[in-house]
Amino acid sequence: MMDRLNIVLFEPEIPSNTGNIGRTCVATGARLHLIEPLGFSLSEKAIKRAGMDYWKELDVTRYLDFEEFLEKNPGAKIYMATTKAPQTYTEVHYEPDCYLMFGKESAGIPEEILLAHQETVVRIPMLGETRSLNLSNAVAIVLYEALRQNQFAQMKLTGHLTKYDWK
């Protein structure tokens, strides 16, 4: 089985963010892991609208809590995105099957979890006292860096015009 990156959302609260992230996972071949409680129902229209018709193609797993996630993914290399991290997301090497974890929109990842994984916490640089980026944007930034570092394995790297040819 080919290596695949994994996106982990810790207690996501906003359905449109999760829907957008699901669509990004389908487009990149990443798996999505949702750690409960969720701030919405997965049947909500907002999830399906944001994920469009891609949601049915999504490889998604739900967990009751962080402990269950760890039990079911033993030995997983987990990089945790937080505004509190001492290193940026570009300063680490992402393995082709690693897990990229993001916290809930209102509070992020709990500090006790961050402390237990401090060697793999990363941040996206921002100006001043900006609280954070939108969750789906943050996921896309870090995920695409991990994909870039792994040479965009199995991804389509060229596009084609519909009416013309590139010179």
Side-chain angles (χ1 to χ4, degrees):
M1 184 168 174
M2 76 173 183
D3 290 327
R4 290 173 63 192
L5 291 167
N6 297 273
I7 299 300
V8 181
L9 301 182
F10 180 86
E11 301 180 2
E13 300 167 315
I14 301 173
S16 59
N17 282 338
T18 301
N20 288 331
I21 292 163
R23 182 174 181 169
T24 299
C25 286
V26 170
T28 60
R31 293 182 186 97
L32 181 61
H33 304 264
L34 301 175
I35 299 174
E36 296 185 7
L38 308 181
F40 50 86
S41 162
L42 286 177
S43 63
E44 285 185 31
K45 280 194 247 177
I47 280 248
K48 291 187 172 66
R49 184 171 42 242
M52 296 180 62
D53 56 342
Y54 297 97
W55 195 258
K56 65 185 176 297
E57 299 172 39
L58 180 62
D59 182 350
V60 61
T61 306
R62 292 170 68 175
Y63 305 89
L64 294 175
D65 52 31
F66 186 63
E67 290 71 29
E68 181 186 20
F69 168 77
L70 291 176
E71 287 171 18
K72 292 195 174 173
N73 298 284
K77 182 72 177 227
I78 308 168
Y79 294 91
M80 298 185 177
T82 174
T83 58
K84 301 167 180 81
Q87 63 186 343
T88 68
Y89 73 101
T90 58
E91 294 178 279
V92 298
H93 171 72
Y94 300 99
E95 298 79 5
D97 60 349
C98 68
Y99 292 72
L100 309 173
M101 184 169 156
F102 300 82
K104 63 180 160 183
E105 291 88 343
S106 66
I109 299 168
E111 288 190 3
E112 55 274 8
I113 293 175
L114 295 173
L115 217 71
H117 297 86
Q118 60 187 299
E119 65 283 350
T120 56
V121 295
V122 297
R123 71 175 283 119
I124 299 169
M126 295 178 289
L127 289 176
E129 297 304 312
T130 306
R131 193 180 78 220
S132 66
L133 294 173
N134 171 276
L135 179 61
S136 60
N137 292 337
V139 168
I141 289 168
V142 179
L143 173 59
Y144 268 87
E145 173 61 14
L147 289 165
R148 183 194 68 77
Q149 287 185 16
N150 287 282
Q151 291 76 50
F152 300 106
Q154 282 90 39
M155 297 184 78
K156 183 177 176 182
L157 298 178
T158 59
H160 303 282
L161 299 172
T162 55
K163 296 180 182 179
Y164 304 95
D165 289 324
W166 293 112
K167 293 183 182 186

